[in-house]
Amino acid sequence: MIDSGHLDRLGRPVTLRPVDDDNWRAVADVAPRDDQRRFVAALGARYLLVSTRSEVWTSLAVYADETVVGHVMWGVDDDGSHWIGGMLIDAAEQNRGVGRATVRTLAAWLGAKDGKPPVRLSYHPDNLPAAALYTSLGFHPTGAMDDEELIAEQAS
Ligand SMILES: CC(C)(COP(=O)(O)OP(=O)(O)OC[C@H]1O[C@@H](n2cnc3c(N)ncnc32)[C@H](O)[C@@H]1OP(=O)(O)O)[C@@H](O)C(=O)NCCC(=O)NCCS
């Protein structure tokens, strides 16, 4: 479990846990709002398949208290940079501070790994809530793009 002590706005502890035999169905069912599907996968299931099929990504279940409320994954690029991806908070759980707590928790955990690697992520420039969230946590565009997405790195 990754627990940095962050709470959401309802006072629930937000923790990141391995996907296992007990929680994978709940993670697979995590779904964004319909209008957010242009930016992300329609279900957490898609990201679970990505991390199962790739050697790069590892999925984590996002918990608020003991409830699965989202999916996030992390990976390591060839250049040693550590990445956050597959950030998805269930539509019914958005705007409660879970996304902020999740990114803070995972970015701190990745950035503390050996060698203090740079922590990066990417987002579509039209995804204004994501852009606002990441910018407020110190992620700034590097100028590079990944397909249509801006690559951003957290200032150390
Ligand atoms: C983006 C997302 C992860 C944010 O998660 P969340 O739990 O709803 O966010 P939080 O409640 O922690 O809010 C964090 C910040 O996000 C931004 N934000 C969230 N919803 C927003 C909205 N509707 N409009 C503008 N900004 C918004 C704000 O900057 C907010 O800051 P605050 O804490 O000062 O209010 C969530 O909306 C989501 O899962 N969206 C669909 C998937 C997606 O776009 N993922 C990112 C792909 S790069």
Side-chain angles (χ1 to χ4, degrees):
M1 181 190 305
I2 308 173
D3 182 357
S4 299
H6 296 301
L7 307 178
D8 69 8
R9 283 198 279 271
L10 303 182
R12 301 177 297 179
V14 174
T15 55
L16 310 180
R17 306 185 196 180
V19 177
D20 61 23
D21 287 349
D22 292 326
N23 65 20
W24 72 266
R25 291 170 186 80
V27 180
D29 287 345
V30 169
R33 295 197 319 251
D34 285 349
D35 64 293
Q36 295 169 330
R37 290 173 53 179
R38 59 182 285 231
F39 302 125
V40 289
L43 278 178
R46 166 84 168 267
Y47 293 120
L48 289 183
L49 279 173
V50 169
S51 57
T52 301
R53 293 178 58 84
S54 102
E55 292 178 2
V56 173
W57 292 104
T58 300
S59 282
L60 295 168
V62 178
Y63 278 77
D65 261 339
E66 292 305 311
T67 303
V68 173
V69 295
H71 168 279
V72 68
M73 58 193 189
W74 66 276
V76 183
D77 202 351
D78 292 341
D79 64 4
S81 60
H82 283 45
W83 282 70
I84 295 173
M87 178 72 199
L88 182 56
I89 304 301
D90 193 72
E93 295 283 353
Q94 292 183 16
N95 297 313
R96 295 177 171 176
V98 176
R100 178 175 294 283
T102 298
V103 178
R104 288 179 75 188
T105 299
L106 187 52
W109 184 75
L110 293 173
K113 283 182 173 286
D114 280 353
K116 304 233 178 327
V119 179
R120 296 183 187 146
L121 46 73
S122 69
Y123 58 90
H124 195 285
D126 292 345
N127 192 349
L128 300 182
L133 168 61
Y134 300 144
T135 303
S136 73
L137 293 177
F139 285 89
H140 299 295
T142 63
M145 303 283 291
D146 183 17
D147 287 330
E148 292 185 340
E149 299 200 337
L150 302 172
I151 295 177
E153 181 174 312
Q154 193 173 34
S156 46

